[in-house]
Amino acid sequence: MIGRLMSLVWAELTLLRRSPLAVVNALLLPLALGVGWLLLAENTGKGTDGDTTAMQLLMLLSFTPYAGVTTALAARRADLVLKRMRTTALPPLAVISGLAAPYAVLTAGQIAVLTALHPPPRWWPLLVTAVTGTVLAVALAFATAAFTPVPELAQLTTTPGVLAFFGGGMWLLHTGDASWPMRAVPGVPVAELARAAWQDGTPIWPALSATAVLTTAAVALAVRAFRWEPRR
Amino acid sequence: MDDIAIAAHDLRCRYGDFEAVGGVGLAVRRGELLCLAGTNGAGKTTIVDTLCGHRRPVGGRARLLGLDPARHRHRLAARVGVVPQDPGFAGGLTTEETYALWTRLRGHRPHRGLAEAGLAHRRRVPVRQLSGGERRRLDLAIALAGHPPVLLLDEPTAGLDLEARERAWTLIRERRAAGAAVLLTTHAVEEAETLADRYVVVHGGAVAAAGTAAEITAGLAHRITTVVPARLRRLEPPRLRGQATWRELPGGQAELVVTTPEPGADTAALRGWSPVPLDRLAVTPPSIGDVLRRLAGSS
């Protein structure tokens, strides 16, 4: 089982590596935007380290595990690869994990690079953010892929999700504190969790709960709407 | 142990309101090759898809090695080799990577399959650069990996050139001889006739005929063809049991085609009628292709 899963992960990583557009979108663009945001924050002197890291994380999550996985899923479905996957010895959850794993690993690497630039005083909230944020982004990607018939349309169908991540973060930066309704926007609880790495004593359970609820909702939507083969 | 490896009983499949398959039954024993023949849109691919477990039938049941394929897809993966109608490969992987990936995902080790399929020289080429026929060969190589006891082959020779087709038929024949149960759909029914033990002919989602080629074609007309001088048309017509048609050929010749249920008697009648020896005389028995042509003509 592990061997088969690793074969799938390796194949997906190979496809990612060989696609210049995917490399730019999933690797270079989020890193460049993250570094750009850091320079902007340092030049303007606005926002705390926590705010900067939160925005960098949201950019990463928007591009790499969210838009990247959505595009990959739409492409594999259009190529009938997903349909074929169902007749393999891998159960659906393993197929999904195998397809998303390279993007998750890439996200982890990008987070490591960006946080190394200015490490937080508390590591564990940042780790929690990375894990829960990636899971939420992948779950949203599966839900979005259900409405993305071809990979070319992914740029369009992921726009609301990217805005929900990025806009949510901006909203939190603007208001300072999050209310419960605000936490319904995916970027808000993720940014809240990331900021907690720099804010000693800040409770993370409201943001963690909101992330869990959003992830569950995205998974439920994906299970209901996701298709393994193109519509006939 | 049950000898029947592939079974469908009163299988019914729908796409919305359209009934694509309406009560099809078939059974394939180990070491047997059953050809699922039919006109375009007859429901062949839907039957194969259902046997693969891609869709649940709305009625009846499908079984592979005694298991419901829709419920036990993953348990069956290593024991069922499938050539789907459409390939389903990521174009960015090479032939070798694709073969290794899908072979491993089916639970087997990659082994010599590319060489057997005649693709060894294309192993480093991205799949998107393969021709349609080469992709088909790759599909067949993956399906045959691990010597599965069940093979579901949907148009395995589509797009293949003559040499590749012969190679594919040889591989399939070897697997059947080794005890695999093979369900095959193909448009090259004339080629499949050298291979198939039995046929199920479907038309409009239902079984139109089933049995051996001899059983299905029994009662259909033979074709007698010969070339004679065109001037013989002016003679009194031969007394035949079948129907004769003429086609003018260059050089004062004509082709005479007789469609008849009694080829022996009509061949003798033609010989007695012609004042000159019959040139290029051939008697062609009815084929599954004739059955399909009749079905296509009837709809």
Side-chain angles (χ1 to χ4, degrees), chain B residues 265-285:
Chain B
D266 280 353
T267 305
L270 282 174
R271 284 204 169 104
W273 161 79
S274 174
V276 295
L278 297 173
D279 189 18
R280 282 172 265 171
L281 177 72
V283 180
T284 313

Side-chain angles (χ1 to χ4, degrees), chain A residues 3-5 7-8 11 14-15 17-18 76 79-92 229 232, chain B residues 15 49 52 54-55 73-74 77 82 84 86-94 97 101-102 104-105 107 139 142:
Chain A
R4 284 175 215 141
L5 186 59
S7 298
L8 177 57
T14 305
L15 287 168
R17 189 164 47 86
R18 287 187 187 151
R76 303 297 166 265
D79 289 340
L80 298 173
V81 171
L82 287 185
K83 181 181 178 183
R84 197 179 188 127
M85 287 276 176
R86 297 189 84 195
T87 55
T88 65
L90 283 177
E229 56 186 290
R232 281 181 65 146
Chain B
Y15 296 106
D49 262 9
C52 288
H54 286 310
R55 60 188 78 256
R73 271 196 301 264
H74 314 299
V82 179
D86 300 305
F89 297 133
L93 296 179
T94 65
E97 289 165 344
L101 170 68
W102 291 104
R104 287 199 180 104
L105 289 182
D139 248 330
I142 294 165

Side-chain angles (χ1 to χ4, degrees), chain A residues 23-191:
Chain A
V23 169
V24 169
N25 283 341
L27 185 65
L28 302 180
L29 195 60
L31 269 179
L33 285 172
V35 171
W37 188 270
L38 176 65
L39 295 174
L40 188 73
E42 282 178 354
N43 284 340
T44 57
K46 286 184 179 174
T48 61
D49 284 351
D51 292 339
T52 303
T53 305
M55 290 310 294
Q56 287 176 321
L57 273 176
L58 289 172
M59 284 172 193
L60 288 183
L61 295 174
S62 304
F63 282 97
T64 308
Y66 177 59
V69 171
T70 303
T71 309
L73 285 172
R76 303 297 166 265
R77 181 173 47 213
D79 289 340
L80 298 173
V81 171
L82 287 185
K83 181 181 178 183
R84 197 179 188 127
M85 287 276 176
R86 297 189 84 195
T87 55
T88 65
L90 283 177
L93 190 61
V95 171
I96 287 165
S97 307
L99 291 170
Y103 293 89
V105 170
L106 207 56
T107 307
Q110 289 168 320
I111 291 173
V113 168
L114 285 177
T115 50
L117 296 175
H118 52 121
R122 294 197 302 166
W123 278 100
W124 68 266
L126 199 64
L127 277 175
V128 171
T129 313
V131 173
T132 55
T134 304
V135 171
L136 172 62
V138 169
L140 284 172
F142 271 84
T144 308
F147 306 100
T148 310
V150 289
E152 291 78 11
L153 274 180
Q155 282 190 324
L156 191 68
T157 57
T158 55
T159 303
V162 170
L163 284 176
F165 271 112
F166 196 68
M170 293 292 285
W171 194 11
L172 182 67
L173 256 57
H174 183 69
T175 57
D177 286 314
S179 62
W180 276 106
M182 278 173 71
R183 292 190 182 105
V185 181
V188 174
V190 175

